[in-house]
Amino acid sequence: MTDSIQALEDRLKSVTDKERIDLLIDLSLMNFKVSPAKARSHAEEALGLSVSNGSKLLEAKALNALGKACLGQLNHNEALKHLHSALSLYEKLDSKQGITNVLENIGQVYYSSGEQKDALEYLNRGLEIAERSEALDFMIQGYHSLSELYEKEEDFEKALEYHRRMSELEKKLFNLEKSKVITEIDAKHQTEKAEQEAEISIHKEELVLKNRELEKLLKEKNDFLGRMTEYISDGVMIDDQNGKILYSNDRFLKIFGISRNDLLKMDPFKCIAPEWREKVMDYHNRRLTGEDVPDRFECEGIKKGGGRIWLEVGVSVVERDGVPQGTQSLVRDITNRRILEAQLLQSQKLDAVGRLAGGIAHDFNNLLTVIKGHTDFILLDIPETHPMRPDAEGILKAADRASLLTQQLLAFSRQQILQPRILNLGRIVSGLQRMLSRLLSEDIQLVTSFSQDEGCVFADESQIEQVIVNLVINARDSMKSGGKLTIEVINVDIDENSLVINPDLHPGRYMQLSISDTGCGMNADTQARIFEPFYSTKLSENGSGLGLAMVYGIIKQSDGVIEVSSEPAVGTTFMVYLPRVEGEHIYDEEQTAKSTESSKGENILLVEDDEALRSIVERYLSQEGYEVMSAGSAEEALKIFEGISNKLQFLLTDVVLPGINGVILASMLKENGFNGSILYMTGYIKNEIMPDDMKKGDKDLLEKPFSLTALRQKIRDLLDAR
């Protein structure tokens, strides 16, 4: 290219004005990408000479070259001005080729400036003129420009279509040139045999070279097609009317785990799962006959070796002269997406069940508090030797057992109150190891493993211990004939490319607690329901079905994720992921002695919407010597406060109330001058109304169901602390 430019510049020194104009225009077009500034200089000189010469055709060519040089300098407005001037001159001269060339250049300017719609309009206008005048060279140029434009816009289907048209025209042009050469050879053969033989030899050599050039061009176009499809993340496959595969990219081969050799003898419909195959074949046949069938659908596929995958398939008909020749398919492996969708659905299902369980536990806790309260009254009123005392104590024990059940439901619904602190999981497991060994039979081997650089988590120690014990018991029960139980604690870093697939697990630093057994394992259906409350594979007398549901809730409430992997007759692994935090293990604080001092006659405002519970608490506190005023709602409490605002020393309120909740009520009382103590009662945590410190076990919160003595102690502690 550089030698050609230099040769033309050397010729400028010894040519006429007209020849100089042509040379300057050629030099401008050749310097368009190499040196836009030099290209513009040549074009401006050519324009000046052509105006002086009076040749409108040369003036139009110079304006076209100047516009293209301005495009090279990214001066879009000036480029459009010169190109439109050239277009006006070519239209007056009725030069179809000139008009086509300028329209394409205008389209390139609009595309370069980001105005794709205008770019398409001018490129298509130029192409229409070229097609009407059957100017094959300009038609090829137009198809090439449109193919490149759609490729940059990532509209690969249209890019492929214009590329196909361009290839067909090139073949047609080649045939015309070939026919022309043969005709010339034949004509010369009729005139001078000797000269004809020499010319035939020359033309044959030219034809060979031309064939080589066209073969090279065809190869470049095929390579371009291959490169373009390789950039697509989906599999691309083209077949004929009979389903024979004509082309596929490497991604298609990778999706199905096949080679190029497999492709030669492969029926594409064999890649579809048997239960889907008939439907997909019916779509294919009806599509080729012009019927309206879905052009995008999902189905299951079969990999080489028998593995199943989920596919998203988009299909379009490939036509030639309006006649269907086959189809082109874009195939995407959506197996991971399907897995995530199933996991998300299961998570949403568990969340819904959790909300229901939490609501039931809340109402049940109110009932249990009433039952325990009345039982406490009975026990306070009858002597140790009374014949009814064992019955009352039995009621109290049953209520305590029922409260454990509600705690399990609250754990599953992630609405229990936690007392988290920084914990070292390895130390927790080590501390439990002796107890865990006693839980296992002699034919079960317990193995523990901890990473050298153990991190910490922020969680409730008693709840994490409960998680470990429940998972160990679950593993023990699956190994009736003995086996091996492994507990491992390691640091893991989850990134975007991690093999762990879970919609709730985000990139970050985690501690992974895994508990593996070599027991009976579980099938897929059991794994899908394993965390549901009251679902159990054990006999009814051996389990309530709440153990794993509670584990699930504790981990979720601790901002963690739990996964299960199992195979029948091989074993099961539960993997718990908890966010890793900085810091050292914090040991449990020693409990200080509780106050046993009785009432000093303080004024208490009791707010509880459950009438039975409100009645028994009011009765008990009054007996203890407190001045109690009770209300069934926040609105009623505010009216009471208006009359006793200066005397009120203590607010005892349920958190969840109809209308205004207990937390907002306390805030409103403070705004109106109340500065006494506050004790909240709750059967479960309602996240949208509970302050963060209460969710983590703040001292000013009393969990239902509670005993009357626990209530008395809590109130006394808060009053004495002021």
Side-chain angles (χ1 to χ4, degrees), residues 333-350:
D333 183 349
I334 59 169
T335 306
N336 287 347
R337 189 182 82 191
R338 278 280 189 152
I339 292 173
L340 289 174
E341 288 172 350
Q343 290 179 336
L344 179 60
L345 182 63
Q346 179 67 6
S347 178
Q348 291 172 338
K349 176 182 175 183
L350 290 175

Side-chain angles (χ1 to χ4, degrees), residues 152 162 316 331 337 350 393 434 446 507 705:
K152 291 174 182 176
Y162 282 107
S316 60
V331 182
R337 189 182 82 191
L350 290 175
E393 291 174 343
R434 179 174 293 181
L446 175 62

Side-chain angles (χ1 to χ4, degrees), residues 229-254:
T229 56
E230 287 313 310
Y231 288 134
I232 301 174
S233 59
D234 299 330
V236 178
M237 187 272 288
I238 301 174
D239 62 3
D240 62 15
Q241 289 179 305
N242 300 318
K244 180 182 177 182
I245 298 178
L246 304 177
Y247 171 81
S248 78
N249 65 352
D250 289 341
R251 177 60 183 160
F252 180 85
L253 303 179
K254 186 175 181 180

Side-chain angles (χ1 to χ4, degrees), residues 482-515:
K484 181 179 179 181
L485 191 152
T486 304
I487 304 177
E488 185 179 24
V489 178
I490 60 172
N491 296 323
V492 293
D493 293 329
I494 304 299
D495 57 26
E496 298 289 350
N497 301 318
S498 173
L499 295 178
V500 179
I501 300 175
N502 190 303
D504 297 326
L505 195 61
H506 305 294
R509 302 164 67 240
Y510 293 85
M511 292 302 300
Q512 177 185 290
L513 166 68
S514 61
I515 298 180

Side-chain angles (χ1 to χ4, degrees), residues 294-307:
D295 57 4
R296 188 173 295 276
F297 56 89
E298 294 180 3
C299 66
E300 280 192 279
I302 303 291
K303 292 173 69 77
K304 185 178 182 180

Side-chain angles (χ1 to χ4, degrees), residues 411 413-416 418 420-421 425 456-460 463-464 467 494 502-512 550-562 575-581 687 692 695-696:
S413 61
R414 308 191 293 284
Q415 294 171 353
Q416 62 180 339
L418 301 181
R421 62 177 185 273
L425 284 182
C456 290
V457 300
F458 189 68
D460 185 309
Q463 298 296 329
I464 295 301
V467 166
I494 304 299
N502 190 303
D504 297 326
L505 195 61
H506 305 294
R509 302 164 67 240
Y510 293 85
M511 292 302 300
Q512 177 185 290
M550 182 176 67
V551 167
Y552 176 86
I554 291 172
I555 298 304
K556 293 288 282 186
Q557 194 175 2
S558 302
D559 296 326
V561 171
I562 183 168
M575 289 167 289
V576 173
Y577 297 88
L578 291 169
R580 196 156 80 238
V581 298
N687 286 321
D692 288 337
K695 298 175 195 173
K696 298 173 183 176

Side-chain angles (χ1 to χ4, degrees), residues 377 380 597-604 616-629 649-650 708 711-712 715-716 719:
F377 277 131
L380 289 171
E597 190 175 348
S598 61
S599 164
K600 299 176 182 177
E602 290 93 344
N603 292 315
I604 295 178
I616 198 167
V617 171
E618 182 178 6
R619 173 185 168 188
Y620 177 73
L621 293 178
S622 297
Q623 288 182 2
E624 286 293 310
Y626 293 102
E627 294 292 331
V628 183
M629 293 141 288
Q649 296 165 283
F650 197 94
L708 296 177
L711 172 63
R712 180 191 65 190
I715 292 174
R716 192 69 259 159
L719 285 170

